[in-house]
Amino acid sequence: MSIHFPPLIAPSVLSADFSRMAEEVAAVERAGADWLHLDVMDGHFVPNLSFGAQLIKALRPQSGLVFDVHLMMAPVDPYLEMFAQAGADHIHVHIEAGPHTHRTLQHIRALGVKPGVALCPATPAQAVEEVLDLVDVILVMTVNPGFGGQKFLTSQLDKIRTLRRMAEATGRDIRIGVDGGVDVRTAALATEAGADMLVAGTSVYGQPDYERAIAGLRGAARQAV
Ligand code: DX5
Ligand code: ZN
């Protein structure tokens, strides 16, 4: 088994106070976050805008956290180099963002960044089968991407189980991340199904005590069987 326990906790700055972003990033680093999740939205692939590579570049020297960049963009290829140069450690692209995900993932690797593939709720696990040899992370969306604070879709749990089996079959070390509506209750469900990375926006940045929130999510995780 290459599944890791406890899962990594990746607070999403989408729910942080944008007027104090550097402080908000430092605060979750002090509070025990493993990765920092950065949601980039283009107003086209998803019906919302967030921020771009400039913010990531500005935050990079201020933090030692792994920068886990989730690109909700189409097209995405013209911008990969920009995000790599801004300091992304991981770049997730959506399988739904275009017909050439295979090439996109190879390009990300060639830029020296760890590639991840994200799946919207309507997309079946099998859609990523042919690119599993190219990814370090699979990001399962448990909400329709575009907004923080939505309800976790339990319909995605079977997909997490299937993807965990598919990831194990490759013999490679692939993390399965879950993104959207993660709280202490759903963290238990997701990890039990095989997730070993949890993105958390509202359930960290919406709480008064970040350290407690992060430890709470980690503590709620269950070992997948
Ligand atoms: C949704 C983003 C998520 C979002 C999660 O489109 O990809 O990363 O920040 O927020 P919560 O944890 O509040 O659902
Ligand atoms: Zn995200």
Side-chain angles (χ1 to χ4, degrees):
M1 287 280 272
S2 63
I3 186 165
H4 301 269
F5 191 87
L8 297 175
I9 308 297
S12 165
V13 297
L14 195 63
S15 303
D17 179 347
F18 275 42
S19 70
R20 300 186 301 110
M21 196 52 102
E23 284 168 54
E24 289 278 71
V25 171
V28 292
E29 187 164 7
R30 277 196 309 273
D34 297 297
W35 293 357
L36 188 76
H37 190 76
L38 296 136
D39 287 305
V40 180
M41 302 181 182
D42 69 349
H44 170 73
F45 179 70
V46 288
N48 198 6
L49 292 164
S50 57
F51 51 79
Q54 260 183 313
L55 178 71
I56 296 170
K57 192 174 182 178
L59 293 171
R60 184 63 287 180
Q62 315 244 5
S63 174
L65 288 169
V66 167
F67 277 16
D68 188 58
V69 177
H70 178 190
L71 298 181
M72 286 162 272
M73 301 171 62
V76 69
D77 297 86
Y79 306 99
L80 297 175
E81 208 167 326
M82 187 187 282
F83 284 98
Q85 279 170 6
D89 295 293
H90 303 162
I91 293 179
H92 302 287
V93 294
H94 272 265
I95 189 85
E96 307 87 358
H100 301 298
T101 314
H102 192 280
R103 181 165 58 210
T104 305
L105 293 167
Q106 284 181 315
H107 188 186
I108 295 170
R109 181 84 68 193
L111 289 167
V113 176
K114 291 188 165 68
V117 67
L119 297 85
C120 288
T123 304
Q126 288 70 23
V128 300
E129 194 156 14
E130 301 296 332
V131 295
L132 288 184
D133 55 326
L134 301 178
V135 300
D136 291 340
V137 185
I138 304 168
L139 194 63
V140 182
M141 297 308 302
T142 40
V143 297
N144 284 291
F147 303 92
Q150 302 182 77
K151 195 173 175 298
F152 183 95
L153 297 167
T154 49
S155 60
Q156 302 303 299
L157 290 169
D158 271 343
K159 187 154 86 186
I160 298 169
R161 279 186 206 101
T162 305
L163 285 165
R164 173 50 67 191
R165 274 198 300 274
M166 288 165 61
E168 296 300 309
T170 66
R172 299 182 56 245
D173 186 9
I174 300 176
R175 288 257 177 199
I176 298 191
V178 166
D179 187 5
V182 171
D183 57 23
V184 285
R185 188 183 69 85
T186 58
L189 300 174
T191 49
E192 197 167 47
D196 54 6
M197 191 278 266
L198 302 172
V199 176
T202 316
S203 64
V204 171
Y205 279 112
Q207 303 301 313
D209 184 337
Y210 298 165
E211 189 170 348
R212 201 185 159 128
I214 291 168
L217 290 170
R218 207 176 269 126
R222 296 201 194 131
Q223 210 133 15
V225 278

